[in-house]
């Protein structure tokens, strides 16, 4: 949800710095009028060209380079009329750019106003408030060289995106140095809002060192005292506001980068071993309505995960499945409240359907329930081992010589009927390949993933 606030800050904070520091002659009334017009027309432009969004974004970036160059030129010439026009052009281009950046995260995904959409609108409003407050504070500072520094940062970011598009369309040839520059520019682009907010905070801290000493009142109607006190109070307000704005914006960005944007991961499974070829679980543990994840490490070192959960909150109905999807693979599932979520595709699974084949449902695992006990045969667990890619270091035996090896260190290996065998030397491997049936148990076979899919 915080992606809406972050994207707005990423898109408009550079514009705020450039407009506030390089357009000192722009009047507030004109800024508001031209700003609203630019936002509306920028959104309309993206709406018209959204079917060809990639090329539209490329044209916008190129136009933005030209617009920034003209803004830099006008800052030194100080032509008052040009500032309003350039302000409109820049906010139009930045709005169109923002629409492209946020296109994958529509604010309204349903026909009715939901709680999530209202919260997202609140975050967008917070982002607009931060940008407007930063604009007001920066106009007070009016330090032109900082605006030029921000503009250089934007030139660098835009150059990376423009060069990437040109390389993708084979308009320019790629080489190591160019690829390295583009990759680093795009990868570290997320730092720009942090840099801008840091500059704002530094400006605020610098004001604290410029605070005049507290004046001393000389007599009852001391006008100089009141003026000096007001100036000191105004300066301290600006300093505190700048620092507070920096802390607020940085906190929002850090929350997104360190918490909200982190991918969902499964909790570590409990490693279990069968007794007499059978896993036994107490069904009473499912009464907590949580997901209970387990794993069995096969003889070849493959980690096979499965989990048990209750499919109905008001009565016991065990679901026993592999922690993998026939379509999405073995990234696994997590349970959030009454929802089972496929990590790979973020699909919410209807809990009563767990244990049924098809769709994004976890793959069913054969089991038997007797009273309060759940029984799972180890052979049924092995049936699903090729749905999983994780392997663990384990001691294995060479099927020819019986020599003990570590699976990760074995120099040779060969897969037969879905099972991987490890060998101490190439001669043993060749001997096995010639007639593998001599060295494996009858019926030792694990279906490959594609075989399970067509069943």
């Amino acid at each position: 949800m915080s992606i809406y606030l972050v994207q707005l800050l990423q898109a408009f904070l550079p514009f705020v710095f450039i407009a506030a520091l390089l357009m000192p002659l722009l009047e507030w009334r004109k800024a508001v009028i031209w700003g609203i017009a630019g936002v509306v027309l920028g959104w309309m432009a993206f709406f018209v060209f959204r079917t060809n969004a990639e090329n539209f974004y490329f044209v916008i970036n190129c136009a933005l380079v030209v617009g920034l160059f003209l803004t830099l030129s006008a800052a030194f010439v100080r032509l008052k009329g040009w500032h309003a026009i350039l302000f409109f052009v820049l906010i139009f281009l930045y709005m169109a750019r923002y629409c492209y950046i946020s296109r994958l995260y529509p604010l309204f995904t349903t026909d009715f106003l939901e709680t999530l959409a209202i919260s997202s609108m609140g975050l967008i409003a917070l982002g607009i408030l931060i940008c407007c407050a930063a604009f007001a504070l920066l106009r007070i500072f009016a330090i032109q060289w900082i605006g030029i520094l921000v503009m250089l940062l934007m030139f660098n970011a835009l150059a990376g995106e423009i060069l990437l598009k040109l390389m993708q369309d084979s308009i320019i040839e790629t080489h190591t140095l160019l690829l390295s520059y583009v990759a680093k520019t795009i990868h570290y682009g997320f730092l720009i809002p942090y840099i801008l907010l840091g500059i704002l905070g530094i400006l605020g801290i610098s004001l604290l060192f410029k605070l005049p000493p507290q004046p001393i009142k000389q007599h009852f109607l001391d006008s100089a005292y009141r003026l000096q006190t007001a100036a000191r109070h105004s300066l301290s307000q600006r300093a505190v506001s700048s620092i507070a704005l920096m802390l607020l914006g940085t906190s929002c960005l850090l929350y997104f980068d360190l918490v909200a944007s982190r991918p969902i991961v499964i909790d570590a499974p409990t490693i279990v071993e069968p007794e007499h070829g059978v896993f036994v679980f107490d069904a009473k543990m499912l009464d907590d309505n949580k997901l209970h994840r387990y794993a069995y490490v096969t003889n070849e070192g493959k980690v096979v995960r499965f989990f048990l959960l209750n499919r109905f909150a008001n009565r016991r109905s065990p679901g026993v499945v592999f922690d993998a999807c026939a379509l999405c693979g073995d990234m696994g599932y997590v349970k959030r409240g009454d929802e089972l979520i496929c990590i790979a595709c973020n699909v919410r699974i209807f809990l009563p359907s767990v244990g049924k084949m098809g769709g994004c449902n976890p793959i069913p695992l054969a089991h038997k329930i007797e009273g309060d006990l759940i029984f799972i045969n180890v052979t049924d667990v092995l049936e699903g081992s090729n749905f999983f890619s994780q392997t663990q270091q384990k001691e294995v035996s060479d099927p020819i010589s019986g020599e003990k090896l570590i699976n990760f260190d074995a120099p040779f290996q060969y897969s037969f009927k879905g099972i991987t065998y490890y060998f101490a030397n190439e001669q043993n491997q060749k001997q096995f390949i010639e007639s593998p049936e001599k060295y494996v148990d009858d019926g030792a076979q694990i279906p490959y993933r594609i075989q399970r899919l067509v069943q």
Side-chain angles (χ1 to χ4, degrees):
M1 186 170 63
S2 56
I3 183 67
Y4 297 102
L5 171 59
V6 171
Q7 287 179 339
L8 193 141
L9 295 180
Q10 288 175 336
F12 287 106
L13 268 184
F15 165 77
V16 165
F17 272 72
I18 292 168
L21 299 176
L22 296 182
M23 298 179 180
L25 301 180
L26 181 66
E27 298 175 0
W28 267 102
R29 186 173 60 84
K30 289 185 176 180
V32 172
I33 295 173
W34 287 111
I36 294 173
V39 166
V40 172
L41 292 178
W43 176 82
M44 291 176 62
F46 178 79
F47 183 80
V48 171
F49 296 101
R50 69 186 186 280
T51 55
N52 197 11
E54 295 294 334
N55 290 332
F56 175 77
Y57 185 62
F58 175 74
V59 172
I60 289 297
N61 284 337
C62 293
L64 197 51
V65 169
V66 176
L68 291 175
F69 178 77
L70 293 175
T71 301
L72 183 61
S73 303
F76 291 101
V77 177
R78 289 184 175 272
L79 298 175
K80 186 175 180 179
W82 278 95
H83 285 175
I85 297 173
L86 288 173
F87 185 87
F88 165 76
V89 171
L90 287 183
I91 201 167
F92 166 81
L93 294 173
Y94 271 105
M95 183 61 191
R97 195 168 186 270
Y98 167 72
C99 290
Y100 175 85
I101 294 172
S102 62
R103 73 194 186 285
L104 299 179
Y105 300 91
L107 186 59
F108 300 103
T109 56
T110 60
D111 294 332
F112 56 90
L113 191 61
E114 55 183 356
T115 303
L116 184 61
I118 295 174
S119 301
S120 301
M121 289 171 62
L123 288 173
I124 291 176
L126 176 61
I128 295 173
L129 180 64
I130 291 174
C131 289
C132 291
F135 182 79
L137 288 169
L138 288 167
R139 281 177 67 87
I140 295 171
F141 291 111
I143 304 175
Q144 193 175 63
W145 67 266
I146 294 179
I148 296 172
L149 174 62
V150 174
M151 188 168 288
L152 292 176
L153 286 174
M154 282 307 301
F155 276 133
N156 182 67
L158 291 169
E161 295 180 356
I162 291 171
L163 289 172
L164 177 62
K165 176 64 175 176
L166 293 175
M167 288 189 291
Q168 288 175 337
D169 293 345
S170 300
I171 297 175
I172 60 175
E173 294 185 3
T174 60
H175 55 80
T176 304
L177 186 61
L178 183 60
L179 284 172
S180 178
Y181 167 74
V182 170
K184 287 183 173 61
T185 299
I186 294 176
H187 177 72
Y188 292 107
F190 77 98
L191 292 175
I192 292 179
Y194 286 102
I195 295 172
L196 301 183
L197 290 169
I199 292 173
L200 184 61
I202 292 171
L203 291 173
I205 294 172
S206 68
L207 287 182
L208 294 177
F209 292 97
K210 297 179 180 179
L211 285 177
Q214 181 65 42
I216 300 175
K217 192 173 184 179
Q218 301 295 329
H219 49 83
F220 181 71
L221 297 175
D222 191 348
S223 60
Y225 168 81
R226 294 197 301 271
L227 290 173
Q228 291 173 11
T229 301
R232 176 184 170 85
H233 181 67
S234 176
L235 205 61
S236 62
Q237 276 191 328
R238 296 174 189 175
V240 172
S241 299
S242 299
I243 296 171
L245 205 60
M246 180 269 291
L247 292 175
L248 175 61
T250 303
S251 298
C252 294
L253 293 172
L254 285 174
Y255 174 78
F256 176 77
D257 289 333
L258 300 181
V259 180
S261 64
R262 291 180 63 183
I264 300 175
V265 294
I266 64 172
D267 55 300
T270 301
I271 304 296
V272 291
E273 291 290 337
E275 294 182 7
H276 308 293
V278 179
F279 299 98
V280 182
F281 300 96
D282 188 349
K284 293 179 181 178
M285 67 179 179
L286 303 181
D287 293 343
D288 61 4
N289 289 320
K290 295 181 180 179
L291 184 149
H292 298 265
R293 197 185 320 272
Y294 300 94
Y296 171 63
V297 183
T298 69
N299 291 334
E300 57 182 318
K302 185 71 71 68
V303 180
V304 184
R305 300 194 314 270
F306 58 94
F307 63 83
L308 292 75
L309 53 69
N310 200 18
R311 295 181 298 172
F312 296 94
N314 57 353
R315 61 185 174 89
R316 189 183 301 165
S317 178
V320 183
V321 290
F322 288 106
D323 192 22
C325 171
L327 301 176
C328 300
D330 63 344
M331 291 187 69
Y333 295 81
V334 292
K335 190 172 184 291
R336 297 288 186 267
D338 295 329
E339 293 182 327
L340 184 67
I341 305 171
C342 175
I343 292 179
C345 64
N346 203 37
V347 164
R348 269 57 176 172
I349 311 299
F350 185 50
L351 282 181
S353 71
V354 172
K356 299 179 181 180
M357 198 67 181
C360 262
N361 271 329
I363 303 162
L365 173 56
H367 61 284
K368 184 171 61 174
I369 301 176
E370 294 182 1
D372 289 333
L373 298 178
I374 301 173
F375 299 89
I376 305 173
N377 290 324
V378 68
T379 52
D380 292 320
V381 173
L382 291 174
E383 280 281 311
S385 64
N386 280 328
F387 274 100
F388 298 88
S389 57
Q390 180 186 358
T391 55
Q392 183 174 300
Q393 181 172 296
K394 190 167 185 176
E395 187 179 68
V396 296
S397 299
D398 185 321
I400 303 297
S401 64
E403 182 179 345
K404 298 297 182 180
L405 306 164
I406 299 298
N407 56 350
F408 288 173
D409 300 330
F412 298 95
Q413 63 184 52
Y414 181 73
S415 182
F416 177 67
K417 291 187 176 181
I419 303 175
T420 301
Y421 298 91
Y422 300 90
F423 307 93
N425 53 62
E426 187 176 6
Q427 181 180 354
N428 288 358
Q429 183 195 43
K430 289 181 178 179
Q431 186 175 337
F432 180 88
I433 293 174
E434 289 175 359
S435 52
E437 293 84 359
K438 292 182 181 180
Y439 308 101
V440 299
D441 296 334
D442 293 339
Q445 179 176 355
I446 296 176
Y448 289 102
R449 180 178 176 183
I450 188 63
Q451 292 174 308
R452 291 292 297 266
L453 285 172
V454 299
Q455 287 179 354

